[in-house]
Amino acid sequence: MTHRSVHLPVAAQPSLDALVELGVRTEELGFERAWLPETWGRDAVTTLSLIAERTSEVGIGTSILNTYSRSPALVGQTAATLQEASNGRFRLGLGPSGPAVIENWHGVDFERPLRRTREYVDIVRNVVSGDPVNYDGDVFDLRGFRLRCDPPETPPPIDVTGMGPKAVELAGRFANGWHGLMLTQDGLEERLGDLERGADLGDRDVSDVQVSLLLTCCALEDGEEARRLATQHVGFYIGGMGTFYRDALVRQGYEDVANEVHDAWNDDDREHALSLVREELLDDLVCAGTPDEVAEKLAEWEAIDGLNEIDVGLPRSADRDQIDETLAAVAPENR
């Protein structure tokens, strides 16, 4: 059975306590895990520490910590600490993010993203093992680091987030899991082929690599409002987040519309950009509408062979009532 988890929103939360309470709510509703990306909102480490303290069963995880703003040794310490704080419920998601985030927000050159991510996986595993870290890589050269505390009894799994063929191949070859996002069903099937190729290169069984998909959902009795919120969300990510998501859609056969949305958004014609996110594109990327419509669409995704977990994402402009309505509608007990 495909698990259902929640990808906690980074926007539209009035306080840290409100965001943490959403994490608590995921446990109450029976979701597998509460994932939090670290982008431009509250930092993932503080937030997940509080969720771990206020829950007892739900897993917690970073859907992405980028591999530029923290050193790999620090990420290893963080993973060990969150695994201790959650009594073994933590899962680490890593990824390079994209140049718009890394260069513009963090002031770091976006160089060798795949090799850098590969070395992060190696170093973090070394750190959480408790052994001395002596690493001679192409990007990192480390000597003499070692945890000054007991290492986790069970090392946290390490997932890689990626959208391109080589990034997904890397996950299949070296990571415990892969996080996909902004994918159509056909696009997911194609990336699963990349994952299997990577597993073969690593002499691994692809079934040992957990596949998690971030799938934006909005299930409201007012189905038209749900679709409006989802359209705004998709338009923002295509147009407002550099070229990362645009390029992912180009790879999946949406070259014309992806470029048109991106260009209109960056020309400050947001209304026109959103008008270009037509029904076909919206239905290929998200589950939005009435609860019954969303349930039917989710069932289609969950039937895809090789998909282990759907991470329910929420439109960036959804308010707390709309978030609560959606989470209740798609809770595991309601499938």
Side-chain angles (χ1 to χ4, degrees):
M1 177 184 290
T2 305
H3 294 297
R4 289 188 188 177
S5 293
V6 175
H7 193 269
L8 295 173
V10 297
Q13 299 308 301
S15 66
L16 175 61
D17 191 62
L19 181 55
V20 172
E21 281 304 311
L22 276 178
V24 174
R25 186 64 176 145
T26 66
E27 178 170 89
E28 294 170 348
L29 291 170
F31 287 99
E32 182 78 8
R33 189 173 302 275
W35 293 103
L36 185 66
E38 190 168 76
T39 50
W40 64 86
R42 295 172 178 90
D43 82 274
V45 180
T46 304
T47 306
L48 290 174
S49 296
L50 289 169
I51 293 172
E53 192 273 333
R54 297 187 196 179
T55 59
S56 59
E57 296 180 0
V58 70
I60 61 170
T62 56
S63 52
I64 183 170
L65 286 182
N66 79 70
T67 53
Y68 289 87
S69 60
R70 289 182 175 87
S71 75
L74 178 56
V75 171
Q77 290 176 267
T78 299
T81 304
L82 283 170
Q83 185 72 324
E84 181 179 3
S86 64
N87 293 315
R89 292 181 282 141
F90 178 64
R91 196 169 183 110
L92 174 66
L94 290 173
S97 188
V101 172
I102 301 307
E103 295 182 352
N104 295 347
W105 298 357
H106 295 288
V108 180
D109 291 337
F110 189 71
E111 296 178 342
R112 308 191 69 182
L114 294 182
R115 183 64 203 179
R116 190 181 185 93
T117 300
R118 167 75 177 93
E119 294 190 11
Y120 259 74
V121 173
D122 284 342
I123 294 167
V124 171
R125 281 195 176 131
N126 198 164
V127 170
V128 300
S129 75
D131 294 333
V133 180
N134 296 301
Y135 190 82
D136 183 13
D138 294 338
V139 178
F140 295 101
D141 185 7
L142 308 180
R143 295 288 179 272
F145 180 89
R146 185 173 184 173
L147 282 178
R148 294 294 297 271
C149 59
D150 291 337
E153 184 175 337
T154 303
I158 303 174
D159 300 341
V160 168
T161 299
M163 298 166 71
K166 289 299 182 182
V168 179
E169 182 183 295
L170 184 151
R173 192 171 182 180
F174 301 112
N176 298 109
W178 166 56
H179 290 266
L181 67 163
M182 193 64 81
L183 291 167
T184 66
Q185 292 185 22
D186 288 343
L188 175 60
E189 296 275 10
E190 189 172 350
R191 295 288 80 80
L192 288 172
D194 299 325
L195 191 77
E196 185 167 4
R197 183 174 63 253
D200 289 343
L201 288 169
D203 196 24
R204 308 170 70 200
D205 189 333
V206 72
S207 65
D208 292 334
V209 184
Q210 175 170 299
V211 175
S212 304
L213 175 71
L214 168 56
L215 184 62
T216 300
C217 297
C218 194
L220 306 176
E221 289 300 328
D222 184 348
E224 289 304 311
E225 173 65 4
R227 293 181 70 79
R228 186 192 70 79
L229 290 168
T231 298
Q232 194 279 337
H233 182 89
V234 170
F236 169 78
Y237 274 87
I238 298 172
M241 289 293 290
T243 61
F244 195 57
Y245 297 98
R246 181 200 67 183
D247 293 346
L249 288 179
V250 168
R251 284 192 296 269
Q252 296 174 80
Y254 275 108
E255 181 174 2
D256 290 344
V257 67
N259 285 323
E260 289 169 359
V261 171
H262 182 270
D263 292 346
W265 191 278
N266 286 277
D267 287 339
D268 289 327
D269 192 351
R270 307 293 169 79
E271 184 176 348
H272 180 54
L274 295 180
S275 74
L276 295 168
V277 182
R278 300 187 176 94
E279 298 293 313
E280 179 187 2
L281 175 60
L282 192 69
D283 287 334
D284 273 356
L285 291 176
V286 306
C287 296
T290 66
D292 286 344
E293 289 168 340
V294 170
E296 182 178 351
K297 194 70 174 178
L298 272 172
E300 289 181 17
W301 283 95
E302 290 176 331
I304 296 174
D305 187 37
L307 178 59
N308 305 117
E309 179 179 284
I310 285 178
D311 304 329
V312 174
L314 299 151
R316 61 189 299 272
S317 296
D319 63 27
R320 181 56 190 264
D321 288 342
Q322 291 163 331
I323 288 170
D324 287 344
E325 187 176 349
T326 294
L327 292 181
V330 302
E333 66 180 18
N334 292 330
R335 68 168 119 198

